[in-house]
Amino acid sequence: MTTTVPALGTRTAEGSALQAVLLDMDGTLVDTEGFWWDVEVEVFAGLGHTLDDSWRHVVVGGPMTRSAGFLIEATGADITLAELTVLLNQGFEDRIDRALPLMPGAARLLAELAAHEIPTALVSASHRRIIDRVLGSIGPQYFALTVAGDEVARTKPHPDPYLLAAAGLGAEPARCAVVEDTATGVAAAEAAGCPVVAVPSVAPIAPAARRTVVDSLEQVDLAFLRGLMTEMR
């Protein structure tokens, strides 16, 4: 299921094989991956458990069910997945109410895509209630549609969210450039058949076929994304 927001238009730019741009949220557009880990540490401390810092790479970028389930199993905490999900979402919402920094280059990239009427979607493993809160800071006007992790039967690393976004924009997955920050998100996009720009936030991501790795969104612009399509020919 998708929720539409004010659209920019779904016309493909003339002379470009790029049909759409699909962007992850946490760690890609907003600097929030650290927020999730801090909340997880605080919640489990309240339950009497200390999280091992090495687990951060295991839970980053994943759906709530996977991340929370892993932490329950790893710690043996006496809490259900449903109860923990509520605590984590509440803790995260408290943090984004205080501060929500955009990643360097995010505002400029979104403005450029809007100016050239490139169809753009936000594709996140976060729940709808979180996405809607964060959109207020990013700017809902930049996205023709958004896909939340709790609105698909299988979220990242499965391809479903990106296939749904591409279909919603009337685009071919192979002509959609995806921007992601985690291996989980990259796996989802590649399984959907999309070329990927990886901007690692927590754990390293290696370059591969149809995958370009950069240090920052400041290195990514419309010409760069169109170039990904040219390289495929």
Side-chain angles (χ1 to χ4, degrees):
M1 175 176 131
T2 60
T3 296
T4 57
V5 293
L8 302 170
T10 55
R11 179 175 63 83
T12 301
E14 290 184 12
S16 172
L18 177 68
Q19 293 180 345
V21 177
L22 314 178
L23 298 132
D24 175 54
M25 186 178 75
D26 293 302
T28 299
L29 293 177
V30 288
D31 192 7
T32 50
E33 287 292 8
F35 286 15
W36 281 112
W37 179 248
D38 290 344
V39 170
E40 287 160 350
V41 168
E42 290 176 3
V43 168
F44 276 89
L47 296 171
H49 298 275
T50 300
L51 300 188
D52 190 311
D53 196 60
S54 66
W55 297 343
R56 183 175 182 178
H57 290 179
V58 179
V59 301
V60 67
M64 179 75 73
T65 51
R66 190 197 74 184
S67 300
F70 168 82
L71 293 174
I72 290 173
E73 182 176 353
T75 60
D78 184 19
I79 189 170
T80 67
L81 182 60
E83 292 169 337
L84 180 57
T85 296
V86 170
L87 292 178
L88 293 177
N89 276 326
Q90 287 177 342
F92 184 78
E93 288 181 33
D94 290 343
R95 283 183 176 269
I96 63 176
D97 282 344
R98 298 196 294 268
L100 187 55
L102 293 181
M103 298 298 287
R108 186 264 316 148
L109 176 60
L110 290 172
E112 183 180 15
L113 295 175
H116 289 83
E117 298 184 351
I118 303 298
T120 304
L122 185 70
V123 183
S124 177
S126 290
H127 290 188
R128 169 56 56 190
R129 59 184 284 187
I130 297 295
I131 289 180
D132 288 345
R133 295 283 287 274
V134 174
L135 273 174
S137 296
I138 300 175
Q141 71 275 13
Y142 291 120
F143 304 101
L145 62 84
T146 61
V147 178
D150 57 340
E151 296 173 342
V152 289
R154 302 186 307 170
T155 189
K156 304 174 187 179
H158 298 287
D160 306 38
Y162 282 112
L163 292 174
L164 183 61
L169 295 177
E172 302 171 35
R175 296 300 179 185
C176 294
V178 169
V179 185
E180 272 280 359
D181 73 302
T182 68
T184 299
V186 167
E190 291 180 343
C194 306
V196 180
V197 179
V199 193
S201 61
V202 175
I205 298 174
R210 295 172 58 82
R211 180 195 310 165
T212 303
V213 180
V214 299
D215 295 326
S216 167
L217 278 184
E218 293 181 314
Q219 298 171 248
V220 181
D221 57 16
L222 181 53
F224 181 97
L225 296 173
R226 283 176 171 164
L228 298 179
M229 303 297 119
T230 302
E231 293 171 5
M232 291 169 47
R233 294 176 180 175

